[in-house]
Amino acid sequence: MTKQTLSFQAEVAQLLHLVTHSLYSNKEIFLRELISNASDACDKLRFEAINDGGLYENDSELKVKVTFDKDAKTLTITDNGIGMSTQEAIDHLGTIAKSGTKDFVSKLSGDQKADSQLIGQFGVGFYSGFIVADKITVESRRAGMKVEEGVRWISGGAGNFEVEAITRPERGTSVILHLNDDAQDYASAWKVKGIINKYSDHISLPILMEKEEWKDGELINPSDEQGGRQPGGMVKTGEWETVNKANAIWARAKKDISQDEYNEFYKQISHDFEAPLAHTHNRVEGSTEYTQLLYIPGKAPMDLYNREKSAGVKLYVKRVFIMDDAEALLPTYLRFVKGVVDSSDLPLNVSRELLQESRDVKAIREGCTKRVLGMLEDLAKNDKLPEAAAPTEGVTDVVSAQDKAEAQANAGKYTKFYNEFGAVLKEGLGEDYANKDRIAKLLRFASSTTDTASVSFADYKARMKEGQEAIYFITADNAAAAKNSPQLEVFKKKGIEVLLMTDRVDEWALNYLQDFDGTPLQSVAKGAVDLGKLQDEAEKKAAEEAAETFKPMLAMLKEALKDKAEDVRVTTRLVDSPACLVVQDHGMSTQLARMLKQAGQAAPDMKPVLEVNAEHPLVKKLDGSVHFNDLAHILFDQALLAEGGLPADPAAYVKRVNALLV
Ligand code: ADP
Ligand code: MG
């Protein structure tokens, strides 16, 4: 066969033009693309050799070699993978086979600026070599073909390319980049090594470079290796060294990876010194294929609450590093998770924008979310040591020492997790509708009748009183304020447990959870208190009578407080306190409104309802008092103080109290 000149497919020519004109600000990606192709070629050979071992031609150590020649101005990437026949070189390097890329090219508008934004979303692959090279020579021989059946492919990246037959003893492919004037620094070991470390460390093949040493160079300035040596320069030693780590832990089989190795990898990617609480490692097959290795850290970072700076999952495509902090791979409320997702379906040049829209990414996100929730469920399940069963006669203890040690090691992990990340997990109630119920099961709270802060909704339900129809909770700034809130009085008296919610996000998050497992959630600070069946007939009757006789007084209070209170009513929820504030059923709590205002956000100006305890001496004193007006305002302001608020006019409040004291 003699030399033939062929034209690129029209789309290729278009793509080439775009690549060379728009990716110059991100030049170094070419190396990632070419190494990835070399790695793919080795994967393909490995696959074909399963059925035909002869393809290895007695050389089964697959590898990539990167060499450069400063004088010839070339950089060469060589692999001993599957190689290409002449026809394959023509087809694969002269046309675009992938439908995705074809679609993409057909969308090009010709408007340089718009097009260059588009290109970030597609893999540019082999053609990215033309970012740094004004000519590319490819020499290849397909595994199993004769030595004389090699091919040389040459192109300047314009409209056409040349192919000719060559004799090539080695199987595989060499891509020789003839570096253009702006890309001469890629003919240097430290530059190339740097790029390989950045993008290709986890390629499972070894990437080899020839060792260099200084020739007659005197070290003038030891702190400056590059500039400190004199002429003679770096010379090749003929020895080869592996410059990547060549170890993608997530691509290995689970059973071959020790706990220590998992922990070490976590520390490397998270910069954490402590071991993680848990990990999950899975290969997911199906319509979207990917591998996930995800970790739950033991400690929250300083900026956990910053929803902007989120995500700790790195994205790889076929073991080639694509980006850090790929926030599209997990919902924001799981931003504490660290790890790696390696997809085989995404293009190498995928951008953040594309990630947001990709259907594959959506499937990956759902899969990762499920796995993380599963990990948390396991931690929660094993948080407490199983109670030792009383020994039964005739039955031997089947729990092995190993199981016991494992139980010991897992105990307390969920508590640790929850103390660090519980508040963030709660955001999921509002953010992840599909998994709301699973998240709700993972939540833990303090409660009015226990000392631990680890009550789950399920624990609570199991302890509910007969006739109790709701899960009661109260939100407050802190545990003490919650525990001593006047709204809790009647619940305390009746021995009904109330969950104390003191995280800032609680009220917002709880808005999204109307019920747990069929039982409605009820804030004790919202709406009129309705204890339903928990209240006996006598109590109900007494309350109704009190309300009736108190009516004229209520009218007067309403009038006196019309600027402050939406309504005034008699309540049965108070025992020791004279009054408290509640909000209408669907209103925002006064506490949340206060929080929003502090954060400089708009909060609806809602007036609360004042509820009074008709049995309280202070309230009784109102009747016919000459200080009626002052007492009414004091009643209101104290109710506000009791829940951690401040009277609108503190000075007026003090004046009124002092007047009475005197
Ligand atoms: P992709 O890798 O996504 O298929 P590329 O543009 O990177 O797209 O490569 C185009 C094709 O060229 C590859 O699919 C492969 O068939 C062929 N090719 C590229 N590099 C090599 C190589 N080093 N060895 C064998 N075939 C290769
Ligand atoms: Mg490729």
Side-chain angles (χ1 to χ4, degrees):
M1 194 188 88
T2 47
K3 211 183 257 185
Q4 42 173 329
T5 303
L6 298 162
S7 306
F8 282 121
Q9 185 192 25
E11 282 101 334
V12 174
Q14 235 176 317
L15 185 64
L16 267 171
H17 180 82
L18 190 58
V19 166
T20 48
H21 286 84
S22 64
L23 285 178
Y24 45 79
S25 62
N26 202 4
K27 278 183 184 165
E28 62 189 30
I29 60 150
F30 79 91
L31 193 56
R32 170 183 80 177
E33 298 286 341
L34 297 179
I35 287 178
S36 153
N37 282 352
S39 163
D40 287 350
C42 291
D43 283 346
K44 276 182 212 162
L45 174 63
R46 219 179 266 131
F47 183 74
E48 288 193 20
I50 295 172
N51 292 321
D52 180 3
L55 291 179
Y56 279 130
E57 303 172 12
N58 296 323
D59 171 22
S60 61
E61 259 176 60
L62 303 181
K63 52 185 170 286
V64 182
K65 282 184 171 175
V66 181
T67 54
F68 57 87
D69 183 332
K70 261 202 158 78
D71 301 327
K73 300 181 180 174
T74 58
L75 178 65
T76 303
I77 295 101
T78 302
D79 65 72
N80 58 351
I82 191 74
M84 282 177 274
S85 65
T86 302
Q87 193 55 48
E88 283 171 329
I90 293 171
D91 291 346
H92 297 157
L93 305 181
T95 58
I96 299 175
K98 283 173 299 176
S99 57
T101 312
K102 244 182 171 161
D103 283 353
F104 157 67
V105 173
S106 69
K107 280 199 200 109
L108 293 180
S109 60
D111 167 6
Q112 178 108 16
K113 217 172 153 201
D115 289 349
S116 58
Q117 273 168 4
L118 260 183
I119 198 162
Q121 308 180 4
F122 287 84
V124 285
F126 171 78
Y127 303 110
S128 63
F130 286 105
I131 306 172
V132 293
D134 40 29
K135 185 172 104 176
I136 299 180
T137 305
V138 177
E139 293 180 356
S140 189
R141 178 173 67 78
R142 201 182 201 288
M145 291 181 90
K146 294 197 195 102
V147 175
E148 314 83 71
E149 291 177 325
V151 59
R152 179 180 291 132
W153 177 103
I154 301 178
S155 176
N160 45 36
F161 59 92
E162 282 170 10
V163 277
E164 63 180 321
I166 56 166
T167 296
R168 184 176 158 95
E170 326 74 66
R171 167 199 75 218
T173 306
S174 291
V175 177
I176 303 148
L177 304 169
H178 305 268
L179 298 170
N180 63 33
D181 288 343
D182 297 338
Q184 291 304 313
D185 47 342
Y186 289 101
S188 112
W190 69 270
K191 178 103 185 177
V192 171
K193 273 187 201 170
I195 303 172
I196 292 174
N197 287 338
K198 188 164 166 193
Y199 294 110
S200 308
D201 238 5
H202 294 283
I203 287 271
S204 56
L205 289 175
I207 301 171
L208 304 177
M209 286 182 76
E210 204 174 338
K211 262 191 184 159
E212 290 181 314
E213 62 183 24
W214 291 99
K215 183 164 163 83
D216 313 325
E218 246 178 81
L219 196 60
I220 294 169
N221 177 4
S223 67
D224 178 11
E225 273 276 311
Q226 285 302 316
R229 304 268 188 173
Q230 284 304 304
M234 298 288 285
V235 291
K236 306 243 161 77
T237 61
E239 273 174 70
W240 293 87
E241 60 172 341
T242 303
V243 295
N244 66 330
K245 289 221 176 64
N247 175 5
I249 184 173
W250 64 89
R252 289 159 54 194
K254 266 189 201 185
K255 63 173 172 40
D256 300 336
I257 307 172
S258 69
Q259 186 63 47
D260 273 353
E261 283 178 289
Y262 275 125
N263 289 354
E264 273 314 308
F265 181 67
Y266 164 78
K267 288 177 190 170
Q268 186 195 322
I269 58 168
S270 66
H271 308 291
D272 195 348
F273 297 111
E274 263 181 65
L277 291 178
H279 73 262
T280 182
H281 180 195
N282 314 282
R283 192 187 184 89
V284 181
E285 276 158 12
S287 56
T288 304
E289 302 204 347
Y290 61 97
T291 300
Q292 60 193 177
L293 173 53
L294 304 174
Y295 294 90
I296 304 211
K299 202 141 190 58
M302 299 287 280
D303 54 358
L304 179 68
Y305 291 99
N306 179 358
R307 284 175 58 91
E308 303 299 310
K309 150 84 190 70
S310 56
V313 180
K314 292 175 194 290
L315 176 66
Y316 282 74
V317 170
K318 294 180 203 152
R319 300 199 285 281
V320 177
F321 173 71
I322 306 296
M323 66 177 81
D324 273 318
D325 303 341
E327 58 277 326
L329 300 178
L330 274 176
T332 309
Y333 75 97
L334 297 179
R335 58 186 175 275
F336 51 83
V337 172
K338 303 268 184 232
V340 168
V341 166
D342 189 340
S343 152
S344 28
D345 296 324
L346 296 170
L348 275 171
N349 214 16
V350 68
S351 67
R352 284 182 197 269
E353 293 71 35
L354 180 77
L355 282 182
Q356 301 294 347
E357 289 156 21
S358 153
R359 243 196 297 138
D360 288 321
V361 171
K362 194 162 171 269
I364 293 174
R365 186 186 19 227
E366 280 168 13
C368 288
T369 302
K370 288 216 168 83
R371 286 293 177 174
V372 173
L373 293 178
M375 249 193 299
L376 294 177
E377 284 158 0
D378 282 345
L379 287 181
K381 199 175 75 197
N382 298 319
D383 197 45
K384 289 196 186 79
L385 280 175
E387 277 168 40
T392 322
E393 225 176 309
V395 178
T396 43
D397 194 359
V398 288
V399 182
S400 71
Q402 195 190 344
D403 287 348
K404 271 188 192 155
E406 213 178 288
Q408 204 87 46
N410 286 327
K413 281 188 175 173
Y414 191 70
T415 305
K416 191 170 177 198
F417 159 79
Y418 202 82
N419 288 341
E420 295 288 323
F421 303 108
V424 174
L425 185 64
K426 286 174 189 164
E427 293 171 13
L429 289 180
E431 197 184 331
D432 188 356
Y433 187 82
N435 288 305
K436 202 169 63 166
D437 293 340
R438 282 179 84 174
I439 297 165
K441 283 192 185 126
L442 287 167
L443 303 184
R444 300 289 182 268
F445 303 98
S447 101
S448 60
T449 57
T450 61
D451 290 329
T452 65
S454 59
V455 181
S456 69
F457 285 124
D459 295 338
Y460 182 98
K461 273 194 78 166
R463 291 199 286 260
M464 271 174 31
K465 290 255 184 269
E466 208 177 298
Q468 184 177 344
E469 283 159 349
I471 294 169
Y472 293 107
F473 70 90
I474 182 163
T475 54
D477 288 339
N478 56 62
K483 236 175 176 151
N484 298 320
S485 161
Q487 276 114 340
L488 284 193
E489 288 170 4
V490 70
F491 294 89
K492 276 188 198 152
K493 188 175 141 197
K494 291 189 170 289
I496 301 169
E497 185 170 16
V498 176
L499 296 176
L500 311 177
M501 313 215 162
T502 51
D503 267 338
R504 293 182 129 237
V505 339
D506 280 335
E507 171 139 6
W508 173 84
L510 265 292
N511 264 330
Y512 294 93
L513 194 71
Q514 269 75 44
D515 66 281
F516 177 80
D517 198 10
T519 307
L521 265 68
Q522 168 72 51
S523 162
V524 303
K526 271 188 188 175
V529 66
D530 178 13
L531 294 176
K533 291 179 191 143
L534 291 169
Q535 216 166 20
D536 58 43
E537 285 309 310
E539 279 175 327
K540 270 187 197 160
K541 213 161 159 233
E544 275 160 25
E545 275 172 24
E548 195 54 39
T549 49
F550 211 71
K551 251 189 182 158
M553 174 74 76
L554 283 183
M556 286 169 69
L557 277 173
K558 249 187 249 183
E559 178 56 27
L561 297 172
K562 64 175 188 281
D563 293 336
K564 289 180 170 173
E566 180 70 36
D567 194 8
V568 183
R569 61 191 180 215
V570 180
T571 184
T572 52
R573 83 172 91 212
L574 299 174
V575 178
D576 302 320
S577 302
C580 69
L581 297 177
V582 296
V583 294
Q584 302 287 37
D585 242 336
H586 298 290
M588 185 185 279
S589 81
T590 44
Q591 189 219 346
L592 179 59
R594 205 160 52 233
M595 227 164 72
L596 285 176
K597 275 184 194 152
Q598 274 169 10
Q601 293 188 36
D605 243 332
M606 285 179 325
K607 283 186 278 183
V609 174
L610 181 72
E611 290 195 347
V612 293
N613 175 2
E615 301 297 312
H616 197 278
L618 186 59
V619 177
K620 285 186 168 157
K621 224 176 169 176
L622 280 167
D623 198 7
S625 168
V626 288
H627 301 294
F628 183 88
N629 202 48
D630 283 340
L631 278 173
H633 281 278
I634 288 171
L635 212 55
F636 182 94
D637 286 346
Q638 285 189 341
L640 192 58
L641 279 169
E643 65 166 52
L646 262 188
D649 184 352
Y653 168 76
V654 172
K655 226 164 148 184
R656 283 193 181 109
V657 172
N658 286 349
L660 286 178
L661 286 175
V662 172

